[in-house]
Amino acid sequence: MTEWLPFELHCHTFHSDGKMSLEELALAAKALGLRGVALTDHNTMTGLAGREEVTRKTGIEIIPGLEWTTFFGHMLTMGIRDYVDWRNLSPFHIHRGIEAVHRQGGLVGVAHPFRVGSPMCTGCFWEFEVTDWNEVDYVEVWSGLFPSIRKNNARAFGMWTDLLNKGHRIAATSGRDWHVSDPVSEPVCATFLGIDGCAGGLVPAALDALRRGAVIVSMGPLPTLAVTSPEGQVAGVGDELRLQTGSRSARVAAGADFSAREGQWELPEQKLTLRIVSNAGTLGEFAVTRSEPSASGDISLDGVRWLRAELYGTFCGAHTMIGFTNAIYVRDLHGGSELT
């Protein structure tokens, strides 16, 4: 059974421009109900020294990472053992670096692609030329605190949607870009990774979840989504639903887990809306509450190649998207190809 564990995937210590030690970062993450963090210091991995001891002391898993911080964009790397140099990456050669990370079994993600750039934030605006988006593992579509209300994140979310519409299977994450542990009044988001057993360790399992797209992002209750084909196959977030009989109908089960990071967010009593969105438009909407947190119904998969759930409601005084799942992909085996 999949366990959804909350992580923060974009963090800095005083080894780059952060204000925390690794242990201070881990303790702050524990106080926020997180299970782990990815340390992504700018252009250095020295902050990872002693990470095993920090995990033993705090219980917080530390995913090794690095943020390439260049004039043309910031790219997050995770799961690498050895430092990968970024200094030979011109705007047209980002794939050199991506290939070097993938050779180590690591992952790469575009950080805050539409944040304001130079001179306010050197390289924060993404300008690298990506010739094959299939080589990019994820996009940080929500960045910062209370990310759903930021216009630059709306652009990043739209960019991810466009990539899905073009047939790319690419994950979406949130990233606080965490530098200091001072108390905040704005909502803190988390990236939940779907862990299917971790006999080999939680860090490899977390990286595998991100690689598979088993990812849900939320500031509050955790939206959930599963689809059952006419043949009885159940596909969860990040999975592929395979249609074998030519039928274009399916059963969708959606919900909101109000126990996720409970105590770390506040939500007025209300009906939340779970919207099922796809490349073919909105497929349906369900109302969920604390007392009735799940719903189900039949949907048509005519022309559908991917679908996700988006959770909406009033949160911190604004009507906004509270969280979203990553995609479930649809393949028509009856015709031998993906639905178009």
Side-chain angles (χ1 to χ4, degrees):
M1 182 174 178
T2 300
E3 184 177 13
W4 292 98
L5 300 182
F7 284 77
E8 171 52 60
L9 299 181
H10 190 163
C11 304
H12 299 279
T13 68
F14 56 58
H15 284 257
S16 58
D17 61 345
K19 304 298 182 184
M20 300 176 281
S21 68
L22 186 58
E23 184 173 342
E24 289 169 336
L25 170 64
L27 289 171
K30 187 173 184 177
L32 289 173
L34 299 173
R35 187 62 182 85
V37 299
L39 182 59
T40 54
D41 273 324
H42 298 284
N43 299 334
T44 182
M45 298 178 70
T46 58
L48 290 163
R51 73 182 181 97
E52 294 86 0
E53 178 62 22
V54 169
T55 295
R56 280 194 293 270
K57 290 175 68 174
T58 66
I60 297 297
E61 294 290 338
I62 313 294
I63 300 173
L66 169 74
E67 183 176 9
W68 289 336
T69 308
T70 81
F71 289 111
F72 314 111
H74 294 188
M75 175 161 271
L76 299 166
T77 71
M78 276 192 270
I80 55 176
R81 303 176 304 276
D82 303 313
Y83 182 85
V84 177
D85 204 346
W86 53 271
R87 290 171 294 180
N88 64 342
L89 301 179
S90 78
F92 311 105
H93 297 99
I94 188 64
H95 286 280
R96 290 178 185 169
I98 292 173
E99 290 165 5
V101 171
H102 285 167
R103 281 197 297 270
Q104 291 191 38
L107 304 177
V108 297
V110 176
H112 45 66
F114 295 106
R115 186 180 295 178
V116 64
S118 299
M120 295 180 64
C121 182
T122 301
C124 285
F125 189 91
W126 184 260
E127 296 182 277
F128 280 108
E129 181 179 302
V130 177
T131 57
D132 186 358
W133 279 99
N134 292 317
E135 295 299 312
V136 177
D137 299 294
Y138 66 98
V139 177
E140 186 183 78
V141 301
W142 276 9
S143 178
L145 298 170
F146 208 166
S148 67
I149 66 172
R150 296 173 180 260
K151 292 182 179 180
N152 62 302
N153 289 334
R155 291 185 67 186
F157 196 87
M159 167 185 166
W160 172 52
T161 301
D162 288 343
L163 289 169
L164 293 176
N165 287 340
K166 291 175 182 177
H168 300 290
R169 298 193 175 190
I170 186 168
T173 67
S174 67
R176 179 174 172 178
D177 205 351
W178 200 4
H179 289 75
V180 298
S181 60
D182 297 343
V184 296
S185 58
E186 294 180 284
V188 174
C189 195
T191 299
F192 291 77
L193 301 177
I195 307 299
D196 292 327
C198 53
L202 184 52
V203 167
L207 291 167
D208 179 65
L210 182 53
R211 184 178 290 109
R212 292 184 289 110
V215 180
I216 302 175
V217 172
S218 185
M219 301 181 291
L222 187 72
T224 61
L225 180 66
V227 184
T228 303
S229 72
E231 298 78 35
Q233 181 211 351
V234 179
V237 176
D239 293 339
E240 180 180 81
L241 185 73
R242 300 175 181 179
L243 302 178
Q244 300 181 16
T245 64
S247 173
R248 296 294 185 270
S249 66
R251 188 76 174 172
V252 64
D257 180 358
F258 288 85
S259 68
R261 291 181 65 237
E262 195 169 19
Q264 300 295 333
W265 44 267
E266 296 182 2
L267 188 72
E269 193 64 35
Q270 62 185 293
K271 286 185 178 180
L272 301 178
T273 298
L274 266 170
R275 187 173 299 157
I276 311 303
V277 177
S278 76
N279 61 288
T282 298
L283 304 179
E285 289 188 357
F286 302 96
V288 294
T289 62
R290 284 184 181 272
S291 58
E292 297 185 29
S294 59
S296 61
D298 294 324
I299 59 171
S300 171
L301 295 178
D302 282 340
V304 174
R305 298 198 302 178
W306 63 266
L307 64 155
R308 66 176 178 237
E310 299 173 358
L311 182 66
Y312 292 87
T314 299
F315 197 79
C316 287
H319 185 78
T320 187
M321 188 191 300
I322 298 170
F324 61 90
T325 73
N326 268 242
I328 295 174
Y329 302 94
V330 179
R331 181 178 291 272
D332 180 12
L333 298 182
H334 181 73
S337 62
E338 290 190 2
L339 292 170
T340 55

